Amino acid sequence: MKKILRYTALFLLAALIIIQFFRPKKNKQEGEAINHISKVYAIPDEVNTILKKACYDCHSNNTRYPWYANIQPVAWWHEKHIKGGKKELNLSEFAGYNPQRQYKKMKEVIDEVKEGKMPLNSYTWTHKDAKLTTEEKAKITGWAQSVMDTMETRYPIGSLIPKKK
């Protein structure tokens, strides 16, 4: 029995070492993002600071990686969260979205921040600075609403709201 446990432990150790060589590509964009949201909508400095600390790691093309994101299998788990976040909303690609999607995403930002769904609890456990205060929530939601208001003046009435099927 001891021999089986020893071989199992050695196998697991070897597997853990081997998987360290298989790393996902880092979410780091070289140069300036030409479709960044700031190219089409103003972002006040205070809001930009909040976005950088609480949103950009999962919702942009530039992630700040903590030390433990270099260890497998944590790096794979981390990559999955980043891909999922970017699929939902990528602030680095926002200007490339059609106006209806931009409008819908800003509405979702307001709803999810107000309801405390964003940033995710699993993110704020390890990124304590990303926890939003009531004041920060108000700044983010106020800014998102101002983006929506700007869009309403730029586009024909009713064109921003998707038609029900």
Side-chain angles (χ1 to χ4, degrees):
M1 185 67 164
K2 285 185 181 182
K3 199 173 194 179
I4 292 173
L5 287 175
R6 189 172 348 133
Y7 284 127
T8 303
L10 285 172
F11 174 77
L12 291 174
L13 180 61
L16 187 62
I17 291 169
I18 290 168
I19 67 173
Q20 299 312 307
F21 294 99
F22 299 94
R23 300 183 178 275
K25 184 179 180 219
K26 298 273 187 183
N27 183 43
K28 291 282 187 187
Q29 182 175 15
E30 296 296 322
E32 188 177 26
I34 59 171
N35 282 327
H36 193 274
I37 189 170
S38 63
K39 302 292 183 189
V40 288
Y41 302 106
I43 305 175
D45 289 339
E46 287 181 316
V47 172
N48 200 36
T49 299
I50 298 165
L51 290 173
K52 283 181 179 176
K53 77 171 187 155
C55 308
Y56 278 14
D57 283 347
C58 296
H59 297 288
S60 80
N61 291 338
N62 284 299
T63 299
R64 297 172 298 157
Y65 287 90
W67 66 268
Y68 54 82
N70 292 310
I71 301 170
Q72 298 298 23
V74 175
W76 292 325
W77 175 79
H78 203 245
E79 178 192 30
K80 182 180 176 191
H81 275 269
I82 293 167
K83 283 185 175 181
K86 286 173 58 173
K87 182 179 177 186
E88 286 299 316
L89 172 65
N90 187 340
L91 296 167
S92 297
E93 302 297 332
F94 191 85
Y97 295 171
N98 68 48
Q100 293 85 3
R101 185 169 185 212
Q102 289 180 1
Y103 192 83
K104 180 181 180 228
K105 291 301 170 185
M106 285 295 105
K107 178 73 174 120
E108 288 174 2
V109 165
I110 293 168
D111 294 343
E112 297 209 0
V113 168
K114 279 185 178 178
E115 294 170 14
K117 293 180 181 176
M118 282 289 148
L120 295 174
N121 285 331
S122 60
Y123 182 76
T124 59
W125 293 336
T126 55
H127 298 84
K128 299 293 183 198
D129 65 324
K131 260 190 181 164
L132 298 177
T133 65
T134 304
E135 182 182 339
E136 289 171 329
K137 287 179 182 182
K139 286 179 182 176
I140 290 286
T141 57
W143 166 74
Q145 183 62 58
S146 73
V147 169
M148 291 171 67
D149 294 345
T150 300
M151 293 181 74
E152 289 172 4
T153 63
R154 287 185 186 172
Y155 301 102
I157 295 174
S159 70
L160 297 172
I161 300 169
K163 305 219 180 339
K164 294 187 179 183
K165 295 177 183 177

